[in-house]
């Protein structure tokens, strides 16, 4: 009988950690699970140093694995005692603040291909149209999209000398400053990076670049909730995260994981809200017809369920895709329904950032006032 690590972790989720309201896996007490055929070694760290607590934990683990996974499993439990770790403060911002950059907003999804990059590009141009100073950092090391979506694939960031130091100058188009990992790789070259390396490259694109003053820096993340995300989130001062999902069940399940990732203790990035992309299909020639091909209002319901703000919906429209491909984000079109829907969502994002910043310590606080539907940033 070959034991399955996943099943063992699932079984361990039945054990709650006293006083924490979390199970042993969620709380991070389970450090390692190694399976050798029908043998399993569980490494565990607990806060309570008493012999009784250790014994109790060990017995519980044996019981639950025997009951839930395999009654004849040979189990070794290594219990280590660790002093309780200080819990991070709620809404604490990680990483060092970036001089001149007021808000960093991460756009994530969970599932790939749901339109993160499309949404990020359009949020960026909408913010720029409203008069904000906007930067866009394409952090998708697997498939950087921004050079194409902003029609700057042929450009390279130049070096500029700032106070005796050489810095990267972001490429600019449509009022948005852009850096992308795509500017530094060969077209067609696959980049295989581990989390810490990716975080280092991104750190350089933030700290060793001359962004100047920015009201918003948008971060287009790769899909998923992996190692790379954890490294990025822990090293950069992210103000808040926006999660993009289609209404489809498989996308929603991953979006839920995305929200959970930001909300876990070690990350603790406030979720500004969920955007429903491809909410319905509208043919260009029949603008009043809506076809809910991926299901109806799935992301809206997810937001309600998770008690995070719903930021709005974007229809599946051919011109949005075409605009992305030709490198001129659809929100740049004037007086169209598409421009309006991006503008509404952008305003909602700004409002959520304002609300979120009211809870920030004074050093990071900025004042954004929303005036007659448009917004402006006031410096302190
Ligand atoms: N609302 C929309 N209407 C029409 N096409 C869309 C819409 N949103 C995204 N697309 C198209 O869907 C495809 C995937 O979008 P996009 O690249 O933005 O997704 P992504 O989540 O960033 O993907 P990845 O996970 O690969 O980074 C693109 O071809 C894009 O043009
Ligand atoms: Mg993308």
């Amino acid at each position: 009988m070959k034991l399955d690590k996943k099943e063992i972790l699932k079984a361990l989720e039945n054990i709650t950690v006293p006083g924490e309201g979390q199970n042993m896996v969620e709380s991070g007490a389970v450090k390692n699970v190694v399976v050798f055929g029908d043998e399993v070694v569980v490494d565990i760290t607990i806060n309570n140093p008493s012999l009784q607590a250790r014994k109790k934990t060990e017995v519980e683990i044996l019981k639950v694995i025997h009951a839930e996974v395999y009654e004849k499993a040979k189990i070794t439990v290594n219990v280590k005692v660790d002093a309780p770790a200080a819990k991070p403060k709620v809404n604490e911002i990680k990483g060092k603040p970036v001089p001149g950059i007021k808000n960093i907003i991460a756009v994530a999804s969970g599932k790939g291909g749901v339109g993160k990059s499309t949404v990020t590009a359009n949020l960026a141009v909408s913010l720029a149209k409203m008069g904000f100073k906007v930067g866009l950092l394409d952090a998708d090391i697997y498939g950087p999209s921004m050079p194409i979506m902003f029609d700057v694939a042929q450009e390279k960031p130049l070096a500029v000398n700032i106070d005796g130091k050489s810095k990267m100058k972001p490429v600019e188009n449509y009022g948005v400053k852009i850096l992308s990992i795509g500017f530094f790789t060969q077209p067609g070259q696959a980049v295989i990076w581990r989390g810490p390396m990716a975080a280092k490259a991104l750190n350089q694109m933030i700290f060793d670049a001359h962004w100047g003053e920015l009201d918003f820096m948008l971060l287009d993340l790769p899909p998923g909730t992996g190692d790379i995300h954890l490294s990025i989130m822990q090293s950069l001062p992210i103000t808040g995260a926006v999660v993009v999902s289609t209404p489809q069940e498989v996308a929603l399940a991953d979006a839920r994981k995305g929200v959970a990732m930001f909300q876990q203790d070690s990350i603790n990035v406030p979720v500004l809200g969920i955007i429903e992309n491809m909410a319905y299909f509208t043919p260009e020639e029949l603008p009043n017809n809506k076809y809910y091909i991926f299901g109806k209002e799935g992301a809206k319901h997810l937001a309600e369920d998770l008690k995070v703000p719903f930021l709005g919906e974007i229809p599946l429209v051919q011109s949005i895709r075409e605009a992305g491909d030709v490198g001129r984000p659809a929100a740049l079109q004037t007086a169209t329904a598409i421009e309006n829907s991006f503008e509404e969502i952008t305003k909602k994002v700004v409002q959520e950032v304002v609300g979120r910043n009211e809870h920030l310590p004074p050093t990071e606080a900025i004042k954004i006032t929303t005036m007659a539907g448009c917004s402006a940033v006031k410096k302190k």
Side-chain angles (χ1 to χ4, degrees):
M1 160 90 187
K2 170 114 177 59
L3 293 172
D4 183 296
K5 182 174 169 178
K6 274 201 202 125
E7 276 181 46
I8 289 171
L9 284 170
K10 200 147 172 272
L12 294 176
E13 284 176 2
N14 291 310
I15 305 176
T16 43
V17 181
E20 294 228 29
Q22 279 183 320
N23 71 51
M24 176 175 267
V25 179
E26 275 174 337
S27 77
V30 178
K31 295 295 173 211
N32 208 2
V33 171
V34 188
V35 169
F36 310 96
D38 62 355
E39 280 187 47
V40 55
V41 180
V42 180
D43 290 338
I44 195 122
T45 302
I46 61 170
N47 297 333
N48 187 336
S50 74
L51 193 63
Q52 201 190 359
R54 293 190 197 200
K55 199 70 214 160
K56 183 166 168 279
T57 310
E58 190 179 336
V59 170
E60 275 181 324
I61 292 172
L62 298 184
K63 261 200 204 151
V64 83
I65 296 176
H66 283 149
E68 304 279 346
V69 187
Y70 179 44
E71 56 175 341
K72 291 188 186 140
K74 294 195 195 91
I75 306 167
T76 310
V77 180
N78 299 317
V79 183
K80 214 179 121 207
V81 177
D82 203 355
K87 286 236 158 129
K89 277 208 323 277
V90 174
N91 284 352
E92 185 187 25
I93 287 222
K94 305 259 176 336
K96 51 183 168 171
V98 191
I101 301 182
K102 291 183 183 136
N103 297 286
I104 302 183
I105 298 175
V107 183
S109 67
K111 192 176 179 330
V114 296
K116 271 178 307 306
S117 303
T118 304
V119 168
T120 313
N122 282 290
L123 280 179
V125 297
S126 289
L127 284 166
K129 280 209 293 193
M130 289 175 182
F132 291 111
K133 299 195 187 82
V134 188
L136 202 169
L137 181 60
D138 181 356
D140 190 343
I141 56 166
Y142 304 119
S145 311
M146 290 312 158
I148 289 180
M149 289 190 173
F150 275 81
D151 192 21
V152 288
Q154 305 310 321
E155 297 194 30
K156 288 268 174 282
L158 302 172
V160 282
N161 196 306
I162 305 289
D163 301 332
K165 280 193 196 135
S166 177
K167 300 246 174 185
M168 258 181 277
K169 187 167 180 284
V171 166
E172 194 168 336
N173 203 4
Y174 313 127
V176 177
K177 293 179 178 170
I178 306 154
L179 277 181
S180 167
I181 229 129
F183 292 135
F184 307 101
T185 54
Q186 301 297 325
Q189 178 196 355
V191 183
I192 303 166
W193 278 358
R194 299 181 67 88
M197 273 168 72
K200 195 166 168 234
L202 291 172
N203 261 295
Q204 283 177 355
M205 288 202 288
I206 290 193
F207 294 104
D208 299 339
H210 181 57
W211 290 98
E213 297 269 313
L214 292 183
D215 297 315
F216 293 97
M217 168 180 276
L218 303 184
L219 201 57
D220 182 23
L221 291 179
T225 49
D227 182 33
I228 275 170
H229 296 79
L230 300 191
S231 304
I232 295 171
M233 297 299 143
Q234 283 169 330
S235 59
L236 300 180
I238 310 278
T239 313
V242 167
V243 175
V244 179
S245 182
T246 65
Q248 198 184 356
E249 213 45 62
V250 283
L252 294 168
D254 288 358
R256 188 182 280 274
K257 284 187 217 153
V259 171
M261 167 181 79
F262 291 116
Q263 291 180 337
Q264 64 178 260
D265 269 354
S266 56
I267 308 280
N268 204 16
V269 168
V271 175
L272 299 170
I274 296 180
I275 295 177
E276 180 159 316
N277 189 29
M278 312 192 189
Y280 50 85
F281 167 67
T282 292
E284 226 88 15
E285 63 283 7
L286 294 168
N288 295 322
N289 288 26
K290 294 180 177 180
Y291 303 93
Y292 294 90
I293 48 185
F294 292 125
K296 198 174 175 189
E297 298 186 340
K300 190 174 184 189
H301 294 147
L302 179 67
E304 282 161 11
D305 191 29
L306 297 175
K307 299 192 173 52
V308 298
F310 181 63
L311 300 170
E313 55 182 33
I314 302 159
L316 176 68
V317 183
Q318 188 171 334
S319 63
I320 295 184
R321 198 270 305 150
E322 285 167 354
D325 287 349
V326 300
R328 197 171 193 284
L332 285 171
Q333 302 161 7
T334 43
T336 61
I338 294 165
E339 183 206 18
N340 282 344
S341 60
F342 281 118
E343 199 180 294
E344 287 307 311
I345 290 174
T346 307
K347 279 189 208 157
K348 194 88 182 25
V349 171
V350 173
Q351 279 165 20
E352 291 303 326
V353 173
V354 175
R356 183 252 174 277
N357 281 347
E358 308 217 308
H359 304 290
L360 270 181
T363 46
E364 264 135 338
I366 63 152
K367 276 268 172 279
I368 302 177
T369 45
T370 312
M371 296 174 299
C374 193
S375 314
V377 171
K378 253 200 265 166
K379 282 185 210 142
K380 272 202 342 163

